[in-house]
Amino acid sequence: MCAERTLIVSGSEKGLDGMTSFLKNCGYPSVVTISSGSEARRMIHHDSYGLIIINTPLKDETGYQLSLKLSEDTCAAVILICKADIADEMTNRTIDYGVCVVPKPLNKAVFLQAIRTGTAFHHRMLALHQENAKLRTKLEELRYVSRAKCLLIVKQQMTEETAHRYIEKNAMDTRRTRKDVAMEIIAKYEY
């Protein structure tokens, strides 16, 4: 079961109720439906979704460019539903972006498999996003600590090892992060 929200972008009202109830029966209780690509582009800046389904064509565009945009700008799984005669072409054009293409008419088993695969992809993307955020935080801390050590070496004539120990000990003694101690050192000597 997925507690995250699902967005359906569909230019046609036909089948929308069926698709919504199918998703709810599959454990996707929060489903939002809209009819245009421009509306979808506005919504992704304000809300987050775990799954985005684009039922082409849309009222204001084909949906192809929207699928690429949403896959680049969000961590959501993006499923593009299109006519069977262009499904292979759409797959070739979107595969590098991680967009899953499902041909019309919808086969429930294929659609469900696409949803499950997309959900797995979404969870993997979230895990990678969180890991990336941790690494960025760690890298930022290392930058501050390195700058502070350089300042201690130049201004206090400490060795690199002594400067490192000074920052570590100060952080432990004052129960602050190394970054906070480093920022204090930088503020003292650079400003």
Side-chain angles (χ1 to χ4, degrees):
M1 185 160 177
C2 181
E4 295 189 60
R5 296 172 41 152
T6 300
L7 176 64
I8 300 176
V9 187
S10 178
S12 168
E13 294 292 320
K14 182 182 176 190
L16 205 51
D17 290 336
M19 194 183 304
T20 302
S21 67
F22 179 76
L23 284 164
K24 288 183 178 183
N25 288 336
C26 292
Y28 296 80
S30 179
V31 179
V32 176
T33 60
I34 57 175
S35 62
S36 72
S38 57
E39 193 174 358
R41 284 181 177 84
R42 280 192 304 273
M43 287 185 75
I44 64 163
H45 295 293
H46 304 290
D47 297 314
S48 64
Y49 300 93
L51 177 65
I52 300 173
I53 300 169
I54 303 169
N55 183 20
T56 65
L58 304 178
K59 289 184 176 181
D60 57 348
E61 63 181 282
T62 62
Y64 161 71
Q65 289 292 335
L66 176 65
S67 71
L68 301 182
K69 177 79 172 149
L70 295 177
S71 69
E72 286 180 333
D73 293 354
T74 71
C75 287
V78 179
I79 298 175
L80 183 68
I81 302 171
C82 62
K83 292 180 181 177
D85 60 339
I86 62 167
D88 286 340
E89 178 190 347
M90 285 296 111
T91 297
N92 292 335
R93 292 170 72 183
T94 62
I95 197 164
D96 291 339
Y97 294 87
V99 175
C100 181
V101 177
V102 177
K104 290 180 190 179
L106 283 180
N107 173 313
K108 286 186 178 184
V110 171
F111 187 46
L112 180 58
Q113 186 60 40
I115 291 169
R116 288 179 175 162
T117 302
T119 300
F121 172 78
H122 168 66
H123 289 291
R124 183 72 182 129
M125 286 292 292
L126 283 179
L128 290 172
H129 186 70
Q130 290 169 346
E131 181 66 22
N132 191 354
K134 285 181 191 175
L135 291 173
R136 285 179 189 272
T137 301
K138 181 92 173 148
L139 184 60
E140 181 184 28
E141 177 182 287
L142 288 173
R143 283 187 188 129
Y144 280 110
V145 169
S146 293
R147 197 153 109 214
K149 284 196 295 188
C150 287
L151 286 169
L152 289 172
I153 291 168
V154 170
K155 302 289 186 179
Q156 295 293 322
Q157 289 75 40
M158 292 184 184
T159 65
E160 193 269 338
E161 187 178 308
T162 306
H164 182 78
R165 251 194 327 242
Y166 175 83
I167 293 170
E168 292 278 329
K169 183 170 179 359
N170 198 327
M172 283 190 293
D173 291 348
T174 60
R175 296 182 183 194
R176 295 184 296 162
T177 65
R178 293 179 334 142
K179 178 183 172 188
D180 289 341
V181 171
M183 288 173 69
E184 184 179 273
I185 293 166
I186 292 166
K188 178 178 179 182
Y189 290 112
E190 282 191 350
Y191 303 109

